[in-house]
Amino acid sequence: IPIPPQGSSGRRARALLLFGDFRRPEDFLCGEDAGFGMGHIYSYNELCAAYAQAHCRAYNRWIIDFCKGTNGRLLPVAHLSLGDVDEAVRELERSVKEGAIGGFVAPFTITKKPHGHPDHDPLWAKAQELDVPIAIHPTLEPVATNPHLRFKDMGHKTGWYYNVFAGFGSQMAFTTFFQYGVFDRFPN
């Protein structure tokens, strides 16, 4: 997908920013013409705890470096895995120290423990201590955890279906914060 030229319509530039194949920070910065002053950059991967942690560390080092030199117009968000909470705490601390503005987790967990489960409290405590946000970012989910694979033979309708319901996994994860009282324990 080509980079939109200066003065291109905001709608087209937004679509290209969302779905483009960008490999350089300059490619993302074309969004300024579409009214974007800055962007948050995300990734995902949750196959097994050890692999997920290695992926997160590598991705976070890369994205922090990728966003340097953009004068704060691209803001790195650290990918964290709840597969090993102690490692996620260390990675959040390291990434924020290096320049990440916060962290994000996938809407599913390797352990199948809900996001709000007390076992994840050390991560929420560290985020509160560092005064950084944690997001739940929609991702392509493994078949075993994917709420979108309930129906078969959707054919060409599948893309539209996934777009409409993409946020469901994040919503499910988010509601567990209320169910487990996470915001009572970590109000900031």
Side-chain angles (χ1 to χ4, degrees):
I1 298 173
I3 305 304
Q6 294 269 351
S8 66
S9 76
R11 175 178 227 143
R12 179 168 183 253
R14 281 184 183 90
L16 290 172
L17 282 170
L18 292 172
F19 302 111
D21 178 20
F22 301 105
R23 297 166 197 257
R24 305 167 302 152
E26 302 82 45
D27 298 338
F28 284 92
L29 296 177
C30 67
E32 187 174 42
D33 296 328
F36 292 111
M38 67 180 79
H40 301 88
I41 314 286
Y42 291 94
S43 172
Y44 66 90
N45 193 326
E46 291 279 336
L47 297 175
C48 72
Y51 182 80
Q53 294 301 336
H55 168 85
C56 289
R57 282 189 300 275
Y59 171 80
N60 295 340
R61 285 192 305 268
W62 173 80
I63 197 62
I64 291 165
D65 186 57
F66 183 85
C67 292
K68 286 181 182 170
T70 67
N71 296 321
R73 290 171 54 208
L74 294 178
L75 305 172
V77 179
H79 184 188
L80 307 168
S81 171
L82 293 174
D84 182 332
V85 177
D86 293 335
E87 281 297 317
V89 167
R90 284 190 281 279
E91 185 56 20
L92 177 63
E93 190 165 38
R94 186 200 66 75
S95 295
V96 168
K97 187 181 205 179
E98 294 295 319
I101 64 163
F104 78 94
V105 295
F108 60 93
T109 63
I110 295 170
T111 62
K112 298 197 180 213
K113 289 181 184 174
H115 290 64
H117 192 282
D119 286 358
H120 301 142
D121 281 0
L123 181 59
W124 316 138
K126 181 54 72 175
Q128 182 171 269
E129 175 189 320
L130 296 172
D131 195 29
V132 297
I134 300 288
I136 302 169
H137 191 276
T139 67
L140 296 173
E141 300 189 27
V143 173
T145 65
N146 194 325
H148 313 297
L149 298 178
R150 293 189 175 109
F151 306 115
K152 296 190 307 187
D153 303 322
M154 292 283 287
H156 71 280
K157 297 171 186 75
T158 304
W160 180 84
Y161 177 79
Y162 289 161
N163 285 331
V164 169
F165 297 112
F168 276 15
S170 295
Q171 291 170 10
M172 291 173 185
F174 185 64
T175 60
T176 70
F177 286 99
F178 297 98
Q179 293 167 310
Y180 283 88
V182 173
F183 298 122
D184 293 332
R185 293 191 305 279
F186 306 103
N188 298 321

